[in-house]
């Protein structure tokens, strides 16, 4: 338990800082641009992480939203109930996960449709010979063809959105104070460590996406959608009274608004 607490203490001192919430979006944009330029001008040699079948991609990134929801749900419930003691407020705050799910579903469906309507089925990866008889990606792949369309980076979108959402929700830790005698202490400490490591995985895999996969424009659009999903909620809508609201903090709404204006 002592090692877990030390790890949680370290994560509180890094991810929970207001400066991290303020600068992380810009850091992700910069990493995406630098990684994309590196990929075009001086590609890195192939590695385990450039293989789409690597463990982090298969078991974490492809299930990124599920991992994020499964850890944020108990974290939001426990921390918000600990601070307010109001079930109604906890349920209101948990609705952020429903909003996030709607954003995730809408964006991924939009990306899929864009790829479908801008794509064609080819005989080979070199994009030779259009197979006119196959008008969908699924049918094309089933018949051994290669589909090529404008494939907005779903990884760039989702990893951006998930990392920023976790960091926003962890801001509540400024107010959460528990000791080992508190019945929520072990659960909250464990969730802090799990969410911290998950955030580092999302940022690391975002960097891998930048240097190994997709074209620059596809990553720009993916990252942009992730940033819009985050800012449209935490930077705008959640500041309003008719919303799921922000994590409870003594730093008040005014301070939060000032953070986004900087």
């Amino acid at each position: 338990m002592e090692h877990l607490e030390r790890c949680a203490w370290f994560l509180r001192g890094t991810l929970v800082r207001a400066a991290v919430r303020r600068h992380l979006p810009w850091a992700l944009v910069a990493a995406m641009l630098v990684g994309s330029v590196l990929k075009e001008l001086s590609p890195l040699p192939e590695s385990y992480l450039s293989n789409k079948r690597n463990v982090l991609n298969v078991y974490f990134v492809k299930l990124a939203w599920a991992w994020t929801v499964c850890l944020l749900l108990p974290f939001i419930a426990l921390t918000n109930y600990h601070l307010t003691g109001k079930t109604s407020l906890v349920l209101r705050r948990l609705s952020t996960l429903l909003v996030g799910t709607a954003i995730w579903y809408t964006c991924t469906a939009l990306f899929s449709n864009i790829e479908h309507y801008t794509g064609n089925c080819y005989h080979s990866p070199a994009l030779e010979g259009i197979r006119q008889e196959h008008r969908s990606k699924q049918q094309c792949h089933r018949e051994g063809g290669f589909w090529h369309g404008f494939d907005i980076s779903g990884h760039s979108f989702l990893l951006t959105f998930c990392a920023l959402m976790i960091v926003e929700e962890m801001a509540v830790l400024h107010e959460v104070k528990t000791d080992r005698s508190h019945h929520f202490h072990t659960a909250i400490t464990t969730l802090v460590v799990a969410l911290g490591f998950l955030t580092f995985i999302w940022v690391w895999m975002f960097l891998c996406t930048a240097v190994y996969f997709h074209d620059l424009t596809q990553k720009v659009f993916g990252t942009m959608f992730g940033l819009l999903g985050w800012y449209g909620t935490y930077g705008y809508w959640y500041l309003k009274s008719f919303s799921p609201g922000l994590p409870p903090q003594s730093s008040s709404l005014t301070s939060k608004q000032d953070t986004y204006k900087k």
Side-chain angles (χ1 to χ4, degrees):
M1 187 63 191
E2 183 178 348
H3 294 296
L4 197 66
E5 289 175 336
R6 287 181 180 178
C7 191
W9 175 84
F10 169 77
L11 292 168
R12 280 173 178 259
T14 52
L15 295 179
V16 181
R17 298 174 62 185
V20 172
R21 297 199 302 280
R22 189 163 58 246
H23 297 304
L24 181 58
W26 298 107
L28 291 174
V29 171
M32 179 270 296
L33 292 175
V34 171
S36 298
V37 170
L38 182 64
K39 176 180 180 292
E40 297 298 325
L41 300 182
S42 180
L44 296 179
E46 290 189 4
S47 69
Y48 177 71
L49 291 172
S50 67
N51 185 338
K52 293 183 179 180
R53 301 301 300 171
N54 73 74
V55 171
L56 290 177
N57 191 54
V58 173
Y59 295 105
F60 284 90
V61 177
K62 289 188 178 297
L63 301 171
W65 186 243
W67 278 107
T68 302
V69 169
C70 286
L71 291 179
L72 276 182
L73 193 153
F75 177 80
I76 293 173
L78 290 176
T79 54
N80 283 255
Y81 186 79
H82 170 67
L83 290 175
T84 67
K86 298 179 180 179
T87 304
S88 58
L89 189 144
V90 172
L91 292 175
R92 178 185 174 190
R93 292 262 33 263
L94 284 174
S95 66
T96 58
L97 299 178
L98 293 178
V99 174
T101 300
I103 292 172
W104 162 73
Y105 181 83
T106 301
C107 288
T108 51
L110 175 63
F111 298 166
S112 179
N113 283 325
I114 289 175
E115 186 183 13
H116 170 75
Y117 288 111
T118 60
N120 285 297
C121 187
Y122 294 87
H123 287 285
S124 71
L127 308 184
E128 298 172 343
I130 296 178
R131 303 175 66 161
Q132 298 287 357
E133 69 275 18
H134 302 313
R135 302 308 304 167
S136 73
K137 182 177 180 179
Q138 292 73 22
Q139 184 184 19
C140 176
H141 287 171
R142 192 165 52 246
E143 298 299 325
F146 298 86
W147 188 267
H148 180 75
F150 188 68
D151 181 20
I152 295 177
S153 175
H155 280 27
S156 296
F157 154 69
L158 191 54
L159 296 174
T160 297
F161 185 56
C162 287
L164 292 174
M165 185 175 183
I166 291 173
V167 169
E168 289 287 353
E169 290 298 336
M170 289 183 76
V172 74
L173 293 173
H174 282 299
E175 310 302 323
V176 175
K177 302 291 187 291
T178 64
D179 54 39
R180 292 187 180 183
S181 63
H182 196 281
H183 53 288
F184 286 164
H185 178 73
T186 301
I188 291 177
T189 301
T190 303
L191 287 168
V192 168
V193 174
L195 284 167
F197 277 108
L198 196 65
T199 304
F200 286 124
I201 290 175
W202 294 164
V203 172
W204 175 250
M205 293 307 291
F206 179 87
L207 296 175
C208 290
T209 299
V211 298
Y212 286 123
F213 304 105
H214 288 280
D215 295 334
L216 173 60
T217 53
Q218 296 170 345
K219 286 176 283 195
V220 167
F221 274 97
T223 304
M224 180 187 71
F225 274 99
L227 291 172
L228 286 174
W230 159 73
Y231 188 80
T233 50
Y234 289 91
Y236 182 74
W237 183 31
Y238 292 175
L239 300 175
K240 310 297 183 182
S241 57
F242 53 92
S243 73
L246 294 166
Q249 297 178 67
S250 61
S251 51
S252 79
L253 178 63
T254 302
S255 146
K256 183 70 174 183
Q257 290 172 323
D258 291 343
T259 297
Y260 285 108
K261 288 177 182 176
K262 291 180 180 179

